[in-house]
Amino acid sequence: MGEGGERATPAMTKIVGGEMAARVRAFDWSSTPLGPRDAWSPALRLAVDIVLASNFPMALRWGPDLVLIYNDAYAPALHERHPVSLGQPLSDATPAFQSTLRSLHDDILAGRSGGYAFERLPLKVLRDGALETGYFAINYSPLPDESAPSGVGGVLVAAVEISRSVEAEQTLRRTQERYQMAREAAGVVGAWEWDMKANKVYADARYAELHNVDPSLAERGLPVEAFTPALHLDDRERIREAAMASAATGEMFSEEYRLVQADGSVRWIYTRGKAYLDDAGQPLRNAGVIIDVTERKQVEAELAAARVDLDLAAQAAGLGRWVMRPHLGQRYWDARTRAIFGLTENEAPSTSRFLSLVHPDDRAAVRDAMAAATDPHGAGTINLDYRIHRANDGALRWIEVFGQAFFEHEVCTRFVGVASDVTDRREAVERLLNQEETLRLAIDAADVGTWDHDLQTGEVRLSDRCYAMFGVPVGESVSLESLMPLTHPADIQRTRDAIARALDPAFRADYAVEFRVIGRDDHVERWLSVKGKVFFDEDGKPRRFLGAAVNITERKRAELHLRLLVNELNHRVKNSLATIQAIAAQSFNSQHSITEAQEAFSNRIVALAEAHDLLTRENWEGAEMHDVACRVAALHGGDARFDLSGAAVRLSPKTALSLSMALHELATNAVKYGALSVPGGRIQIAWDLAPEPGAPRLDMTWTERGGPPVTAPERRGFGSRLIERGLAAELSGAAVIDFQPEGVVCRIRALLDA
């Protein structure tokens, strides 16, 4: 490279490759204490090449800051810290890791130590996405660097995984332990070796004791004749012949025989051994083990006696016994099995006849299960439910069968089992499943969520609906501690008290409470009605807490709305009574005759009722101005006498009621004295929103034309006062009646939401 030209970054050797080599090349080393790669010392470059070229787990910590560089084989030991650990100084490691290895690295860097080695060190490694324990032999070695003050530039970490050898040692140790435990647990296992040329039998203590021989002498060796007196007379010749036959051929032998003990009792022994021949084919030695099988023999005798009881029990339980000998093509069914399948006493239960009774839809499954059970490489068992059409009456029945196959030289010689008619049980299960499905549909229809709290483990299992009630994603792991904060603060103490009473073995109260929850993720407030029960063990400790929750939010809203309606109804009834009282006081006075007063009172009550009808149809939420005017016009001539015009304006209940009363008063006066008292008279009702700023107000004008000439009255009656004074006070507005000669004009300004 020419002088002053750009320096090339030193290349790695050709044998360096892999993911970490690529990462090292691409890494921005200028941001680390090591500086850019082109500034690295030859010792560092060589050390990095050695690490990256190795197939063994190796890592390098370089410089005073102990910056980490490692290869692909080392990466699994870093778990989730790979690959972010590349280029990190030791100071970025966890405090626990630093406290363990800081002094070790410092000693090596300072030249105070020539390195450290650790054998059989267990470490967690990441394999196929899962953490598992591996065993390593790890060496920490100094790496020389002339440019370093101590002459040591870094620490080389070399790891050799010895997991397989450790596992092999552990397996061997466990095997030896199991073998020793088996011998100790049996307590009756003995071993011997017979030197046939010297005629000496060497035996352990248990073998000697069973043969009435001094163990110390048996350990040093005794002639075979010292052991034969213990053999039962009926077995002595048979065992001698078996031993001689094995000695002649060098084959394995196994026999069972009896030993007469010193106290006269008899023990059954199972022996297994082998004779070994010399190069000339002559008997050399005979060795083997013995096991005391006295208890097994007793059990076999008891089993033989119990078979009769078993047959009786099977019959009592409704079980039928069957036996097959597949290699001979034989099949035996007892009387109960024949009855289950509907066969006569004399009908042969062949395989073809049996399969003809099996339901066609189940026939293939039965064939496959039989083949698998009688396969020497299979499980050797059958457990199957299938349907049949009973031979005698064709009835459809469900059959359950259990069986076990026995093999000799990989040939199934016996296939035995029991069969039972489980039709009633299957029908019961079907009914139960139908009931469960019905219950599930009922729960879904009622918006019910269920929960199951294991009080021993703390696990809480919620149904999907219950998850939704708490605003938590379905399947997320939850606990009582994570759900309780979702309860509305005003209801937490009451809920905790109810839980405490249910969990207290002294009370064992049913858990029944209504409370609010605020969804964790959706922040929706819901009312829940929860009922549950705690189940206690025999010691009085609570074990399980089961229950159901119903979303009663709509019911609670309806109850609240109902209370508001009742309160509103009480208020309106009081107001209506007060209004009627005022109408009666003004109608029945000394200024009018009783007939006039009755008529005026009736008309005003009708007007009040009309206004109430209109508001009732709107659920007392208000009314449209056009509807109020139309009701008045319809009662006094309709379109033939009234002209209505105005914008769409929504009135509050109070405003609608007051304006309706006012319009009815004006219409009543028009019928008596004004435009509606003659055939050609007409009335115009016009309205619009007032232009002034502030709270919305309505401007309405009542104009009469075509009636008799009008003269202003000397005094104002109740109707005029109702409009001009009462209406102004009720609606926070103003009302003026102008008695023009050509017809009455009434102008009203009213607050829309009075």
Side-chain angles (χ1 to χ4, degrees), residues 6 42 268 300 368 370 387 448 472 509 528 583 672 709 724:
E6 183 180 356
W268 272 96
E300 288 177 353
D368 292 343
M370 291 173 59
R387 292 163 292 178
V448 176
V472 177
L528 304 182
I583 292 173
K672 290 182 177 181
E724 292 182 328

Side-chain angles (χ1 to χ4, degrees), residues 673-675 704-705 707-713 737-745:
Y673 315 111
E704 298 184 23
R705 291 293 182 265
V710 176
T711 57
I737 300 177
D738 185 5
F739 294 93
Q740 298 178 4
E742 59 272 18
V744 172
V745 177

Side-chain angles (χ1 to χ4, degrees), residues 241-501:
E241 291 177 356
M244 292 300 99
S246 175
T249 60
E251 295 180 350
M252 297 285 297
F253 66 90
S254 60
E255 295 288 340
E256 290 183 356
Y257 59 92
R258 288 162 288 183
L259 290 175
V260 180
Q261 303 298 287
D263 60 1
S265 62
V266 176
R267 308 296 297 180
W268 272 96
I269 299 299
Y270 168 76
T271 183
R272 184 173 178 83
K274 177 177 173 57
Y276 298 88
L277 308 180
D278 60 15
D279 294 339
Q282 297 300 310
L284 179 63
R285 62 189 181 90
N286 190 314
V289 296
I290 62 169
I291 300 175
D292 187 337
V293 294
T294 305
E295 293 183 0
R296 193 200 76 192
K297 284 291 187 176
Q298 292 173 347
V299 169
E300 288 177 353
E302 293 172 357
L303 285 176
R307 282 176 181 168
V308 176
D309 296 336
L310 180 61
D311 289 343
L312 294 174
Q315 293 176 13
L319 300 176
R321 292 191 302 108
W322 50 267
V323 179
M324 289 178 59
R325 298 185 182 276
H327 67 306
L328 300 176
Q330 297 175 352
R331 178 187 291 267
Y332 164 76
W333 285 5
D334 69 359
R336 179 58 186 165
T337 304
R338 290 175 176 274
I340 290 173
F341 284 84
L343 295 180
T344 63
E345 181 179 354
N346 299 321
E347 185 174 355
S350 65
T351 299
S352 59
R353 178 56 171 152
F354 160 68
L355 289 174
S356 71
L357 300 177
V358 177
H359 192 284
D361 294 343
D362 297 340
R363 202 166 289 159
V366 171
R367 282 198 187 97
D368 292 343
M370 291 173 59
T374 55
D375 184 347
H377 303 291
T381 60
I382 185 172
N383 180 11
L384 186 67
D385 286 11
Y386 56 89
R387 292 163 292 178
I388 67 166
H389 285 289
R390 201 157 49 194
N392 54 357
D393 57 9
L396 181 66
R397 309 299 292 177
W398 274 97
I399 305 300
E400 182 179 39
V401 63
F402 292 90
Q404 173 75 53
F406 298 90
F407 301 88
E408 292 182 9
H409 307 295
E410 295 194 349
V411 174
C412 180
T413 57
R414 291 181 70 239
F415 188 24
V416 300
V418 293
S420 60
D421 188 326
V422 294
T423 306
D424 294 342
R425 188 191 72 189
R426 294 288 300 221
E427 292 176 349
V429 170
E430 185 70 22
R431 288 194 298 270
L432 180 60
L433 291 176
N434 291 336
Q435 292 172 358
E436 290 178 349
E437 179 63 15
T438 301
L439 177 60
R440 185 189 65 78
L441 293 174
I443 288 176
D444 289 345
D447 195 15
V448 176
T450 59
W451 44 269
D452 183 351
H453 185 188
D454 189 328
L455 298 172
Q456 292 181 289
T457 64
E459 180 185 6
V460 177
R461 293 185 292 274
L462 305 180
S463 68
D464 292 355
R465 288 184 179 273
C466 218
Y467 272 110
M469 293 175 186
F470 285 91
V472 177
V474 174
E476 182 175 317
S477 178
V478 296
S479 64
L480 182 62
E481 290 71 21
S482 66
L483 294 177
M484 186 57 72
L486 305 181
T487 304
H488 193 286
D491 300 336
I492 284 182
Q493 190 56 48
R494 180 164 51 86
T495 304
R496 288 189 183 275
D497 292 344
I499 293 175
R501 288 193 299 272

Side-chain angles (χ1 to χ4, degrees), residues 63-332:
D65 295 293
L66 295 169
V67 176
L68 179 65
I69 301 173
Y70 56 92
N71 63 10
D72 293 332
Y74 191 87
L78 294 173
H79 313 159
E80 70 279 357
R81 300 193 303 278
H82 166 70
V84 297
S85 292
L86 181 65
Q88 286 189 345
L90 185 61
S91 58
D92 287 350
T94 63
F97 186 79
Q98 290 190 61
S99 65
T100 303
L101 297 178
R102 169 62 75 175
S103 60
L104 179 150
H105 285 79
D106 288 345
D107 287 347
I108 295 176
L109 280 182
R112 292 190 296 270
S113 173
Y116 297 91
F118 299 93
E119 295 290 337
R120 301 169 66 91
L121 188 67
L123 294 174
K124 291 291 186 181
V125 295
L126 189 67
R127 290 194 178 101
D128 299 326
L131 283 176
E132 59 182 55
T133 301
Y135 293 88
F136 293 84
I138 300 181
N139 293 295
Y140 294 86
S141 306
L143 289 171
D145 187 356
E146 295 179 354
S147 63
S150 65
V152 178
V155 178
L156 178 65
V157 183
V160 177
E161 185 170 4
I162 57 174
S163 300
R164 290 188 176 178
S165 60
V166 171
E167 291 172 357
E169 292 175 6
Q170 293 174 344
T171 300
L172 178 59
R173 185 169 59 253
R174 287 193 296 267
T175 301
Q176 292 173 339
E177 290 173 352
R178 286 196 297 268
Y179 174 71
Q180 187 60 32
M181 289 175 62
R183 285 182 60 100
E184 293 174 357
V188 293
V189 177
W192 90 93
E193 183 173 352
W194 178 17
D195 184 342
M196 301 181 75
K197 291 187 179 296
N199 191 26
K200 276 196 174 183
V201 175
Y202 301 89
D204 62 11
R206 187 56 182 158
Y207 186 93
E209 291 171 354
L210 286 170
H211 287 77
N212 304 322
V213 173
D214 186 340
S216 61
L217 297 177
E219 185 179 2
R220 293 195 293 269
L222 289 172
V224 69
E225 290 78 13
F227 296 89
T228 56
L231 270 69
H232 195 284
L233 287 175
D234 293 342
D235 300 332
R236 194 173 297 174
E237 184 61 26
R238 177 172 56 85
I239 298 303
R240 189 190 70 81
E241 291 177 356
M244 292 300 99
S246 175
T249 60
E251 295 180 350
M252 297 285 297
F253 66 90
S254 60
E255 295 288 340
E256 290 183 356
Y257 59 92
R258 288 162 288 183
L259 290 175
V260 180
Q261 303 298 287
D263 60 1
S265 62
V266 176
R267 308 296 297 180
W268 272 96
I269 299 299
Y270 168 76
T271 183
R272 184 173 178 83
K274 177 177 173 57
Y276 298 88
L277 308 180
D278 60 15
D279 294 339
Q282 297 300 310
L284 179 63
R285 62 189 181 90
N286 190 314
V289 296
I290 62 169
I291 300 175
D292 187 337
V293 294
T294 305
E295 293 183 0
R296 193 200 76 192
K297 284 291 187 176
Q298 292 173 347
V299 169
E300 288 177 353
E302 293 172 357
L303 285 176
R307 282 176 181 168
V308 176
D309 296 336
L310 180 61
D311 289 343
L312 294 174
Q315 293 176 13
L319 300 176
R321 292 191 302 108
W322 50 267
V323 179
M324 289 178 59
R325 298 185 182 276
H327 67 306
L328 300 176
Q330 297 175 352
R331 178 187 291 267
Y332 164 76

Side-chain angles (χ1 to χ4, degrees), residues 428-744:
V429 170
E430 185 70 22
R431 288 194 298 270
L432 180 60
L433 291 176
N434 291 336
Q435 292 172 358
E436 290 178 349
E437 179 63 15
T438 301
L439 177 60
R440 185 189 65 78
L441 293 174
I443 288 176
D444 289 345
D447 195 15
V448 176
T450 59
W451 44 269
D452 183 351
H453 185 188
D454 189 328
L455 298 172
Q456 292 181 289
T457 64
E459 180 185 6
V460 177
R461 293 185 292 274
L462 305 180
S463 68
D464 292 355
R465 288 184 179 273
C466 218
Y467 272 110
M469 293 175 186
F470 285 91
V472 177
V474 174
E476 182 175 317
S477 178
V478 296
S479 64
L480 182 62
E481 290 71 21
S482 66
L483 294 177
M484 186 57 72
L486 305 181
T487 304
H488 193 286
D491 300 336
I492 284 182
Q493 190 56 48
R494 180 164 51 86
T495 304
R496 288 189 183 275
D497 292 344
I499 293 175
R501 288 193 299 272
L503 294 175
D504 190 339
F507 288 96
R508 303 193 182 193
D510 288 343
Y511 178 57
V513 64
E514 293 182 356
F515 58 90
R516 290 161 289 179
V517 296
I518 300 174
R520 190 194 68 186
D521 295 343
D522 57 16
H523 308 293
V524 174
E525 181 179 292
R526 300 176 179 88
W527 270 97
L528 304 182
S529 176
V530 180
K531 292 187 178 181
K533 185 174 182 61
V534 176
F535 293 87
F536 297 82
D537 61 16
E538 295 178 354
D539 297 328
K541 294 181 180 179
R543 295 300 183 187
R544 293 183 70 196
F545 194 6
L546 306 176
V550 181
N551 187 341
I552 59 170
T553 305
E554 294 301 323
R555 193 195 82 190
K556 285 292 185 179
R557 289 175 180 169
E559 291 175 355
L560 177 61
H561 184 62
L562 180 60
R563 286 197 298 272
L564 293 175
L565 287 178
V566 170
N567 292 337
E568 179 69 16
L569 179 61
N570 289 336
H571 173 70
R572 296 193 184 283
V573 168
K574 291 178 182 178
N575 287 347
S576 297
L577 292 175
T579 301
I580 293 171
Q581 186 179 18
I583 292 173
Q586 292 295 334
S587 299
F588 296 98
N589 55 40
S590 58
Q591 298 176 3
H592 300 86
S593 66
I594 188 64
T595 302
E596 291 175 338
Q598 287 176 343
E599 183 181 358
F601 180 74
S602 296
N603 289 337
R604 288 162 183 161
I605 293 300
V606 169
L608 182 63
E610 286 292 329
H612 274 265
D613 285 344
L614 180 62
L615 290 172
T616 300
R617 288 203 308 270
E618 297 284 343
N619 293 321
W620 282 86
E621 294 178 356
E624 294 289 333
M625 178 63 206
H626 185 270
D627 292 339
V628 173
C630 280
R631 294 285 289 184
V632 174
L635 292 173
H636 298 89
D639 294 341
R641 309 299 295 271
F642 283 82
D643 296 320
L644 308 179
S645 63
V649 179
R650 186 73 176 174
L651 307 176
S652 69
K654 184 176 181 181
T655 302
L657 187 63
S658 299
L659 282 177
S660 181
M661 291 289 295
L663 291 175
H664 276 280
E665 282 296 329
L666 290 170
T668 300
N669 288 334
V671 170
K672 290 182 177 181
Y673 315 111
L676 298 182
S677 65
V678 296
R682 293 187 66 81
I683 295 175
Q684 182 185 43
I685 304 176
W687 65 87
D688 202 351
L689 292 174
E692 287 81 358
R697 295 176 181 273
L698 174 74
D699 280 343
M700 191 201 74
T701 303
W702 169 286
T703 304
E704 298 184 23
R705 291 293 182 265
V710 176
T711 57
E714 296 180 359
R715 61 182 181 81
R716 299 295 178 98
F718 170 69
S720 298
R721 293 197 302 274
L722 173 67
I723 296 172
E724 292 182 328
R725 298 178 188 175
L727 194 64
E730 282 285 322
L731 302 181
S732 301
V736 177
I737 300 177
D738 185 5
F739 294 93
Q740 298 178 4
E742 59 272 18
V744 172

